[in-house]
């Protein structure tokens, strides 16, 4: 396939089978690699500082590891020293990858724009997807060199023992996967920033916060959960995943917790970051969000499936609490998607409409439009919440006891409030986007709206005296805080009382109010977008009419000089004598 024109190569495979197609793509990648990748690699090879940086980092890491091993040998057994060095090495390598990888990627697209070479890159005819892949491969190759140079230092724990080769190989494999996410993250930020300095500052600030959060949450925090599932995994150790892969028994839990969920946790963010980069590089006249919408459908289904895992993993008496936790997590996914599509276009351009005339029904469903994607988010989000709540209800023991009935009411009440609040947030961001030309203002206002709904009702309750010591949280005065999503937990606690008061009714009323507000906002969004599209089409029609008039006038002006000489020569021929003619000097013949 030609990279500039996108037309099929004449040397393509004669067969349309999947195997032949894959062989042809592999051969094409080997013979005609991405030109952006080749250019970046050639530029990096010319820099003398690259091998010096790699050598310095490797020497410092080796000195640090040997110093720690020498100090710890006198007070600990060799196996404990080797295990400590293993966790120390891969913890440091994790921070190197998560900080250096985004920084290298942030230097790619932003440097093209700051160096005034981005326009020249677009004139080559390369598609945004090809540019994004080339930049990603260049940055990933660079961070891969860091990992390969540091790999010999990772063999030091073998001198002491305590770790197995399988654990080291699994740790290096995850290090490469984390590097993939880090590079994709830096590339997504670089594709949005206009200058190199802004890209580096934003990337490093966010990378520092995210890397520390993930290290302590999924490292130290999840090690205790892994120890409960598999006692062979040490608790409190940050690099517990390799030990789980090598020591956990191969069963259904192994496939779910160590294969399916990690694959989803790696593939979905990487795909999202790639689509964000591609959307930022695409022209505004194209369909920029079609890849994000495909990701939304897949991610919604995967997150709903993952949300069902805690329901089956806990004891039967705890399944109502697990269902509530899954509903909270899936609600957070809906809120994230609301922020993601807060920059959706008002409607499709003429070019996109022309391209979608012969598209499939599913492709036309992904047509740009904030009103359309708002309705899709509500339908898909409510469907996912209904699936989680329905499965939770089916697995709660309904044996006629008061406890079973209460757990059923808890799931229904919480699911109802989550659905209403999610509908309101999607309608709010859609309405704000329809009335703003900027894509940043609706997202900022959505964040303000979430904060206001979370905290504002409690401030009103405090001002009204409902939070005083003499007031009960189940009274009518306390129901002022029912629009806050935190109030639903008070309603869940009221279900355990013989006299719940008005807490349950107030929670149901708030959820129905959010439903109604979200529906009204979506209807106003559709009305506003339809009016904007009609005005835009009328403006384009008027422009086409004026251009047509100018073209007709130009054609008439071009035809007038050709007709005028013919009209001037006709009277001269009539004035000449019959049978006579004039010579060159004008005398009669």
């Amino acid at each position: 396939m030609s990279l500039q024109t996108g037309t099929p190569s004449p040397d393509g495979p004669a067969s349309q089978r999947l195997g032949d197609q894959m062989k042809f793509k592999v051969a094409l990648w080997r013979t005609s690699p991405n030109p952006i990748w080749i250019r970046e690699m050639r530029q990096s090879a010319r820099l003398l500082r690259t091998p010096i940086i790699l050598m310095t980092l490797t020497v410092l890491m080796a000195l640090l590891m040997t110093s720690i091993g020498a100090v710890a040998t006198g007070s600990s057994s060799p196996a404990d020293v080797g295990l400590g060095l293993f966790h120390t090495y891969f913890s440091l390598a994790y921070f190197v990858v998560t900080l250096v990888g985004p920084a290298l990627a942030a230097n790619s697209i932003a440097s093209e724009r700051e160096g005034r070479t981005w326009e020249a890159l677009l004139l080559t005819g390369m598609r945004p997807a090809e540019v994004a892949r080339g930049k990603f491969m260049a940055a990933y190759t660079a961070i891969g060199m860091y990992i390969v140079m540091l790999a010999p230092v990772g063999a030091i724990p073998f001198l002491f023992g305590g770790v197995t080769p399988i654990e080291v190989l699994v740790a290096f494999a995850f290090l490469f996967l984390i590097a993939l996410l880090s590079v994709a993250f830096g590339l997504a930020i670089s594709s949005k920033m206009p200058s190199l300095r802004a890209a580096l500052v934003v990337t490093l600030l966010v990378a520092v916060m995210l890397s520390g959060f993930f290290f302590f949450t999924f490292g130290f925090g999840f090690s205790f959960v892994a120890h409960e599932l598999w006692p062979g995994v040490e608790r409190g150790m940050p690099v517990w995943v390799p030990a789980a892969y090598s020591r956990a028994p191969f069963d259904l839990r192994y496939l779910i917790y160590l294969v399916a969920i990690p694959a989803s946790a790696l593939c979905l963010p990487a795909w999202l970051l790639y689509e964000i980069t591609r959307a930022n590089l695409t022209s505004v006249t194209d369909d920029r969000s079609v890849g994000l919408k495909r990701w939304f459908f897949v991610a919604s289904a995967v997150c709903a499936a993952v949300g069902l895992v805690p329901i089956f993993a806990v004891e039967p008496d705890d399944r109502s609490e697990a269902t509530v936790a899954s509903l909270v997590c899936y609600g957070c996914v809906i809120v994230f998607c609301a922020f993601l599509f807060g920059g959706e276009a008002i409607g499709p351009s003429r070019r996109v409409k022309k391209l979608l005339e012969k598209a499939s029904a599913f492709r036309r469903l992904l047509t740009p439009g904030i009103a359309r994607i708002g309705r899709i988010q509500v339908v898909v989000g409510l469907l996912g919440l209904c699936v989680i709540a329905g499965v939770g209800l089916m697995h709660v023991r309904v044996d006629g006891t008061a406890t079973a009935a209460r757990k059923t009411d808890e799931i229904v009440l919480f699911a109802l409030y989550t659905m209403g609040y999610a509908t309101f947030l999607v309608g709010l961001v859609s309405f704000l986007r329809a009335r703003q030309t900027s894509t940043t203002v609706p997202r900022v206002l959505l964040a303000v709206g979430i904060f206001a709904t979370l905290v504002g009702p409690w401030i009103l309750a405090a001002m009204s005296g409902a939070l005083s010591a003499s007031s009960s949280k189940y009274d009518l005065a306390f129901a002022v805080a029912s629009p806050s999503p935190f109030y639903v937990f008070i309603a869940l606690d009221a279900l355990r009382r013989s006299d719940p008061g008005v807490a349950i009714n107030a929670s149901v009323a708030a959820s129905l109010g959010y439903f109604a507000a979200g529906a009204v906002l979506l209807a106003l969004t559709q009305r506003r977008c339809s009016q904007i599209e009609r005005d835009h089409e009328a403006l384009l029609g008027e422009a086409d009419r004026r251009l047509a008039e100018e073209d007709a006038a130009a054609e008439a002006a071009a035809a007038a000089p050709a007709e005028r000489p013919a009209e001037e020569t006709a009277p001269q021929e009539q004035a000449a004598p019959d049978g006579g003619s004039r010579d060159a000097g004008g005398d009669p013949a």
Side-chain angles (χ1 to χ4, degrees):
M1 178 174 288
S2 173
L3 192 61
Q4 283 73 24
T5 62
T7 57
S9 173
D11 299 329
S15 174
Q16 297 298 323
R17 292 181 300 181
L18 181 61
D20 295 335
Q21 293 286 339
M22 293 299 296
K23 291 179 181 178
F24 171 69
K25 290 182 179 180
V26 171
L28 183 63
W29 181 80
R30 293 178 58 187
T31 56
S32 302
N34 192 289
I36 299 294
W37 181 34
I38 298 300
R39 189 197 68 172
E40 296 286 339
M41 289 295 96
R42 288 176 178 175
Q43 289 180 351
S44 178
R46 297 190 186 103
L47 297 177
L48 296 178
R49 67 172 180 265
T50 301
I52 296 176
I53 293 175
L54 293 175
M55 182 189 66
T56 304
L57 183 62
T58 304
V59 171
L60 291 177
M61 183 70 79
L63 291 176
L64 178 61
M65 293 288 292
T66 53
S67 301
I68 294 175
V71 171
T73 302
S75 59
S76 301
S77 63
D80 294 337
V81 174
L83 184 62
L85 290 177
F86 172 79
H87 287 276
T88 301
Y89 169 78
F90 282 102
S91 298
L92 294 175
Y94 165 81
F95 282 105
V96 170
V97 165
T98 54
L99 296 179
V100 177
L104 292 175
N107 191 26
S108 56
I109 299 176
S111 61
E112 298 280 357
R113 290 173 175 165
E114 187 172 346
R116 306 293 183 181
T117 58
W118 177 250
E119 290 76 10
L121 185 61
L122 294 179
L123 290 177
T124 60
M126 297 184 65
R127 297 187 302 273
E130 296 291 341
V131 176
R133 282 196 292 267
K135 293 291 185 179
F136 169 80
M137 293 170 64
Y140 190 66
T141 304
I143 193 62
M145 288 191 296
Y146 282 83
I147 300 176
V148 172
M149 286 293 295
L150 292 174
V153 185
I156 295 179
F158 287 120
L159 301 177
F160 299 89
V163 294
T164 62
I166 296 178
E167 294 178 3
V168 175
L169 292 177
V170 172
F172 272 109
F174 269 87
L175 202 60
F176 277 100
L177 293 176
I178 294 172
L180 185 146
L181 289 178
S182 302
V183 171
F185 168 74
L187 198 64
I189 295 182
S190 177
S191 63
K192 187 67 176 178
M193 295 297 170
S195 63
L196 177 60
R197 296 177 184 85
L200 287 174
V201 170
V202 174
T203 301
L204 290 177
L205 287 177
V206 180
V208 168
M209 293 185 293
L210 290 180
S211 61
F213 172 77
F214 288 132
F215 181 78
F216 289 102
T217 302
F218 295 98
F220 286 104
F222 275 41
S223 64
F224 295 94
V225 180
H227 180 75
E228 295 295 329
L229 293 174
W230 306 289
V233 179
E234 296 86 357
R235 66 179 67 183
M237 293 295 181
V239 190
W240 58 268
V241 177
Y245 274 94
S246 61
R247 303 175 187 177
F250 188 79
D251 52 7
L252 182 60
R253 291 196 305 179
Y254 187 98
L255 294 176
I256 293 176
Y257 294 116
L258 296 180
V259 177
I261 294 180
S264 302
L266 291 171
C267 294
L268 289 179
W271 185 11
L272 173 62
L273 293 171
Y274 169 74
E275 294 297 343
I276 291 176
T277 305
R278 184 177 179 180
N280 292 334
L281 299 180
T282 305
S283 174
V284 293
T285 58
D286 293 331
D287 193 353
R288 308 177 66 181
S289 62
V290 59
L292 295 174
K293 293 172 185 175
R294 293 195 185 100
W295 175 89
F296 168 72
F297 281 104
V298 176
S300 299
V302 172
C303 292
V306 172
L308 300 179
V309 174
I311 301 176
F312 297 96
V314 299
E315 297 295 330
D317 294 336
D318 299 330
R319 285 177 177 171
S320 61
E321 290 79 4
T323 304
V324 170
S326 298
L327 291 174
V328 171
C329 295
Y330 196 82
C332 295
V333 173
I334 298 176
V335 174
F336 172 77
C337 293
F339 278 99
L340 179 64
F341 291 105
E344 177 71 5
I346 301 296
S349 62
R350 278 188 171 184
R351 184 170 181 266
V352 174
K353 289 181 179 179
K354 189 66 177 177
L355 294 175
L356 293 178
E357 289 180 354
K358 297 182 180 180
S360 61
F362 179 75
R363 179 64 182 86
R364 290 195 297 271
L365 180 65
L366 306 181
T367 303
I370 186 62
R372 181 187 297 270
I373 191 58
R375 295 192 299 268
I376 292 175
Q377 287 185 83
V378 170
V379 172
V380 175
L382 296 186
L383 182 61
L385 293 173
C386 289
V387 169
I388 296 175
V391 174
L393 290 173
M394 288 189 298
H395 286 80
V396 171
R397 292 181 177 178
V398 184
D399 52 6
T401 62
T403 304
R406 176 180 57 80
K407 291 182 178 180
T408 302
D409 294 339
E410 288 179 358
I411 295 175
V412 173
L413 181 63
F414 196 87
L416 183 64
Y417 202 105
T418 306
M419 292 177 186
Y421 191 66
T423 304
F424 167 73
L425 292 182
V426 174
L428 177 62
V429 70
S430 302
F431 176 76
L432 294 174
R433 176 64 184 95
R435 304 190 69 86
Q436 296 287 335
T437 58
S438 173
T439 59
T440 305
V441 174
R443 292 164 176 165
V444 174
L445 294 179
L446 177 61
V448 173
I450 293 175
F451 180 79
T453 54
L454 290 175
V455 181
W458 297 105
I459 297 176
L460 294 178
M463 294 174 61
S464 63
L467 300 182
S468 61
S470 60
S471 177
S472 174
K473 61 181 179 179
Y474 308 106
D475 292 341
L476 180 62
F478 212 87
V480 178
S482 60
S484 174
F486 294 131
Y487 186 84
V488 70
F489 294 101
I490 296 178
L492 295 179
D493 185 65
L495 290 172
R496 299 181 173 88
R497 293 168 50 91
S498 58
D499 183 16
V502 299
I504 299 176
N505 295 331
S507 179
V508 173
S511 61
L512 294 178
Y514 277 130
F515 264 120
V520 170
L521 290 173
L522 287 175
L524 294 176
T525 302
Q526 178 62 44
R527 180 180 178 182
R528 174 72 176 177
C529 292
S530 300
Q531 182 63 36
I532 293 175
E533 290 182 6
R534 286 195 298 269
D535 296 342
H536 183 67
E537 290 296 333
L539 184 62
L540 292 178
E542 180 66 19
D544 292 341
R545 185 185 64 81
R546 293 185 178 182
L547 290 175
E549 292 179 355
E550 292 179 0
D551 292 341
E555 292 177 358
E563 297 176 355
R564 193 174 305 156
E567 295 176 356
E568 293 176 354
T569 55
Q572 295 177 0
E573 294 177 354
Q574 294 177 2
D578 294 339
S581 61
R582 297 181 179 271
D583 58 6
D587 297 330

